[in-house]
Amino acid sequence: MNNELIIKTVETKGIISKSNLPVCDFSVNPYTGCEHACKYCYASFMKRFTNHAEDWGAFLDVKEWGEIKNPEKYNGKELFIGSVTDPYQPAEEKYRRTRTLLEQLRGSGAILSIATKSDLILRDLDLIKTFVNARVSWSINTLDEDFKSDMDCAVSIERRINAMKEFHKAGVRTACFMSPIFPKITDAKAIIKATKEHCNWVWLENLNLRGNYKPVILNYIAERNPGLVPLYHDIYSKNDRTYWQELDAEMRGFCESENLPYVVNDDSVKRAFDEPPIVVNYFYHSEIKKSAGKEKHNGRTA
């Protein structure tokens, strides 16, 4: 854990919030802030609501809440755990807020969708298995551990894939969330080949640059990959979508050669359970993601 991390406990009226995201009914975030400190993290917008002066990745609020009243009311509803934080970041080993949430929801009939970059989630595999149609996704946008370490403080890609394997073997639906795809850096084909035997879905999402982290990423590209500066300028200053259109066509052809279903922004993928995995292109869903910023920090009473 980061020795400079500022951790405090905060009381919250409710931990489950009605969501404006199209992928779920409710969102759940047991923490505010995230130790993984991803340089490209869209969730850094949360600082506008929490008034933290610290850099993103340098603070963590550990949420405390009471018993969830009538958890059965979430029967058949999809709860997205980790929309603006990683529910299995290192602090979870000590504070167990995500574990507490799962224990309170056990037997409720809620459909869980959990997003993480961690293998700490293996601790809760037996509990997560008790939720019907639970789904766990791991963010994997590179197989290069050095690049991974440049971008985040989470566990290695190898550990993420191994955790995915264990969940998939246990019968839990799994997804490889290839996000964000860095133009000419992320090797999408290699990642699919490395994960396709261990997941039900591969989700592809383009790198979006906005807010405070846009200059951070562009400066990184200029320093480490100066030959890519013109391409990144076209994409992120001129709003040129040519690269994504070409990658879309390339991935479509690749998936056809690998006998993998390939769809674009298709909600029908939620019904997929079996191999081979469905590859889903989310390159053009920025309009959908605009709604993410509308989610409230404290949420409704659970």
Side-chain angles (χ1 to χ4, degrees), residues 13-18 26 73-74 296 298-302:
K13 293 181 180 179
I15 191 61
I16 300 177
S17 303
K18 185 67 178 176
F26 298 91
K73 65 188 173 184
Y74 301 111
K296 294 181 180 179
N298 290 326
R300 59 186 289 279
T301 301

Side-chain angles (χ1 to χ4, degrees), residues 20-72:
N20 292 312
L21 296 173
V23 295
C24 61
D25 300 294
F26 298 91
S27 63
V28 193
N29 291 286
Y31 302 93
T32 298
C34 185
E35 298 173 80
H36 290 162
C38 303
K39 288 183 171 62
Y40 48 74
C41 185
Y42 70 89
S44 57
F45 77 85
M46 290 298 295
K47 288 180 60 176
R48 299 202 304 266
F49 304 106
T50 62
N51 298 317
H52 283 90
E54 302 86 3
D55 291 337
W56 185 254
F59 68 87
L60 185 69
D61 291 352
V62 179
K63 295 183 182 180
E64 297 281 355
W65 62 89
E67 285 294 321
I68 297 175
K69 298 177 182 178
N70 303 318
E72 294 79 12

Side-chain angles (χ1 to χ4, degrees), residues 175-272:
C176 171
F177 190 21
M178 202 182 304
S179 173
I181 292 175
F182 277 70
K184 293 295 184 180
I185 295 176
T186 298
D187 188 340
K189 296 177 183 177
I191 294 172
I192 291 176
K193 288 180 178 179
T195 61
K196 66 179 183 177
E197 301 298 328
H198 318 300
C199 60
N200 300 81
W201 301 274
V202 178
W203 297 327
L204 311 177
E205 183 179 58
N206 55 319
L207 171 66
N208 287 297
L209 294 183
R210 52 189 179 274
N212 294 334
Y213 61 88
K214 180 176 180 178
V216 172
I217 296 300
L218 293 181
N219 288 339
Y220 174 88
I221 296 299
E223 178 182 346
R224 300 294 184 89
N225 295 278
L228 296 181
V229 169
L231 173 63
Y232 278 67
H233 177 72
D234 287 345
I235 297 172
Y236 299 107
S237 297
K238 296 183 178 181
N239 298 317
D240 186 344
R241 289 189 171 185
T242 301
Y243 177 80
W244 301 115
Q245 292 165 351
E246 292 176 347
L247 183 59
D248 179 12
E250 181 181 347
M251 294 309 301
R252 188 178 299 276
F254 170 76
C255 288
E256 182 177 349
S257 69
E258 294 287 319
N259 194 31
L260 298 174
Y262 182 86
V263 296
V264 179
N265 292 7
D266 190 338
D267 285 340
S268 68
V269 299
K270 291 184 178 180
R271 298 194 293 269

Side-chain angles (χ1 to χ4, degrees), residues 137-154:
S137 64
W138 284 265
S139 298
I140 299 172
N141 70 345
T142 184
L143 298 178
D144 182 340
E145 299 288 1
D146 290 333
F147 178 69
K148 190 287 307 179
S149 295
D150 284 345
M151 289 295 114
D152 67 58
C153 300

Side-chain angles (χ1 to χ4, degrees), residues 20 55 107 120 169 288:
N20 292 312
D55 291 337
L120 177 58
K169 285 194 301 184
I288 294 175

